[in-house]
Amino acid sequence: MSITTHLSTDEIFGLFRQYVIPNYRRYPVVLVRGEGVEVWDSEGKRYLDLFPGWGCNLLGHCPVPVVTAVQEQLTRLIHVPNTWFTEAQGHWAKALSERSFHGMAFFCNSGAEANEAAIKLTRLHQGPGRYKIIVFEGGFHGRTMGSLSATAQPKYHEGLHPLLPGFSYCPYGDLEAVRQRIDGETAAIMIEPIQGEGGVVLPPNGFLQGLRALADEHQLLLIFDEVQSGCGRTGEWFAYQNFEVVPDIMTLAKALCGGLPGGAMLARKEIAPSLRAGMHASTFGGNPIAAVAGLAAIEMIETQGLLERAKALGNLFLERLRDLAQRCSIVREVRGVGLMIGVELVADGTPVVNECLRRGLLINCTHGTVIRLLPAMTMTDDQVYEGCDILCRVIEEYAQGGLETKVEA
Ligand code: PMP
């Protein structure tokens, strides 16, 4: 007998209650299929997805070029460790290097893992005694102990002390605080050029340039965590390209492989060799499946002109949502770059997310009050209108006190 028989929705919930560690808050929905920006649940209900794959499905669900490349690779070579060369990993590193700052790549499987690599490379490069990394309040860098320690949000630290020492937390946007924090043991500054989890927070004018100048002045490495903002999300290959500042190290994951798991750290050529042979590794990192998926994602973005499309779609969203902000005082601010969009409310955003879910629209709320959209580059204009219509109506009804949906999260 097969161990996977077809179960009812309730029976699937039952499996999770009994066998899956409850470390996630899940909506009571079983998703079974996705195509582009639409997904369907086990009851046949269709949803428009404005938060596909928590930012991983930037190309929509099951993008055809990625699916085709992976299917073809699956029958040839699924996995070989990094004790061997593969052509695909080489091409992938070159493609990423040429689209960023001509550095070298280390491949891994997730954002947290990419940031761990950045932390280790920093220590190895800067040498004994220089280990401190300045990071920013509201930032998010992952859940492993190193990347968690770099995450200056105490709510994620509860019960987990002691953290990895050496991270210095500064207010985001405050250059003077950074300057004062630098001492002889400081090795790097690590930042999301646009904060995601922290509420889609854009850097104040000149802030990233100021960090670059401080890093240069004190021989610090400047690390950009582009796990959420990278890979075309903002309409540029990487968010930093919107601000004309170049980092020494950059970390990537989420959308990197068109929806498949994969992560990478890129480092300037002068720095990269400090991660010497034997000092770091990841068994699955840069495997052939991830590599061909990553290459297919890049090719799809280029052949379909999706960077320009991301900018146009982002403007369409901002136009609609700013129009809402004009007439609806519950909206404090609408902000974003390309397809990284935040709608900050003056109230808890959870009821909005729950009601949108009921009406067939998937969105996210972060930092309590910020409705976050990380839409796919492949949306049509009509899909943007459909999504904005639902979202705007729900927010307006919320403002008028008319939402009653309760969804067990
Ligand atoms: N950095 C940033 C900016 C992120 O948004 C995230 C995930 N939300 C991470 C790191 C961690 O990535 P992962 O969950 O793949 O470890």
Side-chain angles (χ1 to χ4, degrees), residues 54 110-112 115 140-142 192 197 225 227-228 253-254:
W54 207 266
S110 67
N115 286 329
F140 189 92
H141 300 292
E192 294 162 84
E197 221 73 21
D225 177 340
V227 167
Q228 193 165 139
K254 286 200 190 285

Side-chain angles (χ1 to χ4, degrees), residues 308-326:
E308 297 73 34
R309 183 71 186 143
K311 281 189 191 148
L313 284 167
N315 288 335
L316 212 53
F317 272 106
L318 288 181
E319 206 176 291
R320 280 289 175 113
L321 295 168
R322 288 197 168 130
D323 187 50
L324 170 77
Q326 291 283 310

Side-chain angles (χ1 to χ4, degrees), residues 79-86 89 282-288:
H79 177 64
V80 288
N82 285 294
T83 37
W84 312 105
F85 292 88
T86 63
Q89 189 180 128
S282 170
T283 300
F284 273 122
N287 67 77

Side-chain angles (χ1 to χ4, degrees), residues 282-300:
S282 170
T283 300
F284 273 122
N287 67 77
I289 303 296
V292 298
L295 284 165
I298 291 171
E299 217 168 83
M300 176 173 166

Side-chain angles (χ1 to χ4, degrees), residues 364-382:
N364 169 259
C365 173
T366 189
H367 232 62
T369 56
V370 182
I371 301 298
R372 180 172 43 157
L373 310 179
L374 294 174
M377 299 166 128
T378 52
M379 293 189 82
T380 63
D381 287 7
D382 283 345

Side-chain angles (χ1 to χ4, degrees), residues 24-161:
Y24 297 100
R25 282 189 213 97
R26 294 177 200 267
Y27 294 104
V29 173
V30 177
L31 294 178
V32 293
R33 190 167 76 80
E35 189 181 330
V37 293
E38 297 175 303
V39 283
W40 287 265
D41 72 14
S42 51
E43 306 291 306
K45 179 172 170 176
R46 173 251 188 205
Y47 302 84
L48 184 73
D49 195 352
L50 295 188
F51 198 67
W54 207 266
C56 300
N57 298 325
L58 179 59
L59 303 179
H61 292 275
C62 305
V64 173
V66 175
V67 171
T68 308
V70 167
Q71 278 175 336
E72 205 261 333
Q73 182 63 39
L74 277 170
T75 57
R76 255 194 306 157
L77 194 61
I78 292 179
H79 177 64
V80 288
N82 285 294
T83 37
W84 312 105
F85 292 88
T86 63
E87 185 174 348
Q89 189 180 128
H91 281 305
W92 193 20
K94 178 170 184 266
L96 291 169
S97 177
E98 287 175 349
R99 283 156 187 78
S100 54
F101 46 85
H102 304 284
M104 300 174 85
F106 162 79
F107 290 106
C108 51
N109 309 287
S110 67
E113 220 188 315
N115 286 329
E116 293 295 334
I119 294 165
K120 285 178 70 174
L121 173 56
T122 295
R123 288 192 178 193
L124 288 168
H125 186 73
Q126 296 289 43
R130 290 186 74 193
Y131 66 101
K132 290 184 185 167
I133 300 180
I134 293 173
V135 293
F136 294 89
E137 290 165 10
F140 189 92
H141 300 292
R143 304 288 195 149
T144 53
M145 286 308 290
S147 63
L148 180 72
S149 305
T151 295
Q153 297 199 55
K155 67 180 178 191
Y156 295 123
H157 301 159
E158 272 172 34
L160 295 171
H161 291 272

